[in-house]
Amino acid sequence: MPQSSEAEILKLTLVSEGAIGLAGFVGLVYWQQLERLSLSVSMIALGLALGLILTFFNFNLERWSKKIPILHAQLNLLQNEILIPLAGKLSLSSICLISVMAGVGEELFFRGLLDQLLGIFLSASLFGLIHFLGNLKRFYLVCVLYILIGLLFSLTVQALMGNLVVVIIAHALLDLLALFKIRKKGLEMQIS
């Protein structure tokens, strides 16, 4: 995979996540549902807790997936051929910006807009599929995991009477910690 510069990755993130986040926000305004973004200490705490739980599973997935060799192979391929080349050299500030943009943009779009238009199963499926456009054959089992995460986020929003803050925080925290881990592996590979 060709190396992308940090500026290119940031520009792509800002444009893509910004566009879908704007679409989701416009949907909330159109349906007069801005209260779905109400912030409280309990919503922040729930978002952090959900993000940490998902990060625990994410960080242990490589070890657990050894029982399913094809999934293990797909995870290693994804990490070594796509994630580390793309994100392995990002600065800490870029990682923070990308994580926040993905959490806000994707959750406003998928949970704020598409859940209402298409239902949670189709929205969650699109969430998983969009992450692997052009690579679905290579990462079909990992795509299923992303669909399940999308479904978990959608069900969380429903359980919280439509509040999106919890999943925005959880998604951003999950991405932040995952990108920190990828960056660390990328830097370790440079040293060895």
Side-chain angles (χ1 to χ4, degrees):
M1 169 174 222
Q3 291 286 332
S4 298
S5 73
E6 187 160 347
E8 291 171 326
I9 293 169
L10 284 173
K11 188 186 317 178
L12 178 63
T13 299
L14 290 173
V15 169
S16 61
E17 301 293 354
I20 65 173
L22 181 61
F25 185 77
V26 167
L28 292 177
V29 170
Y30 177 77
W31 287 309
Q32 300 177 351
Q33 297 180 346
L34 288 177
E35 73 277 357
R36 295 181 71 195
L37 296 173
S38 63
L39 195 58
S40 69
V41 173
S42 62
M43 292 297 157
I44 293 169
L46 283 171
L48 292 172
L50 180 59
L52 289 173
I53 290 167
L54 289 172
T55 298
F56 171 79
F57 283 103
N58 182 34
F59 281 20
N60 285 288
L61 190 57
E62 186 176 339
R63 183 171 46 96
W64 295 337
S65 70
K66 289 179 181 173
K67 295 176 181 167
I68 307 170
I70 188 72
L71 175 60
H72 189 70
Q74 287 182 19
L75 287 168
N76 283 329
L77 190 65
L78 177 65
Q79 177 179 280
N80 295 325
E81 290 190 15
I82 295 180
L83 296 177
I84 289 175
L86 272 177
K89 296 179 184 176
L90 290 175
S91 68
L92 298 178
S93 59
S94 292
I95 287 173
C96 292
L97 180 61
I98 289 167
S99 300
V100 169
M101 289 294 297
V104 172
E106 291 177 21
E107 295 312 318
L108 285 176
F109 184 70
F110 288 100
R111 263 45 79 189
L113 180 66
L114 292 189
D115 275 6
Q116 293 183 81
L117 293 175
L118 306 174
I120 65 172
F121 294 107
L122 190 51
S123 173
S125 297
L126 289 173
F127 175 77
L129 291 169
I130 209 123
H131 283 86
F132 295 98
L133 285 178
N135 283 303
L136 191 55
K137 270 187 175 176
R138 294 173 72 199
F139 302 115
Y140 62 92
L141 286 177
V142 181
C143 181
V144 170
L145 294 176
Y146 275 62
I147 291 169
L148 293 173
I149 290 170
L151 191 55
L152 173 69
F153 283 159
S154 293
L155 292 171
T156 300
V157 169
Q158 282 191 347
L160 296 171
M161 314 298 194
N163 191 299
L164 296 167
V165 170
V166 171
V167 293
I168 288 171
I169 292 170
H171 188 150
L173 181 60
L174 174 63
D175 285 358
L176 178 75
L177 297 175
L179 286 172
F180 280 157
K181 181 181 175 187
I182 290 164
R183 180 180 187 268
K184 182 176 182 250
K185 285 188 178 193
L187 293 174
E188 287 169 356
M189 289 174 70
Q190 283 180 327
I191 293 170
S192 43

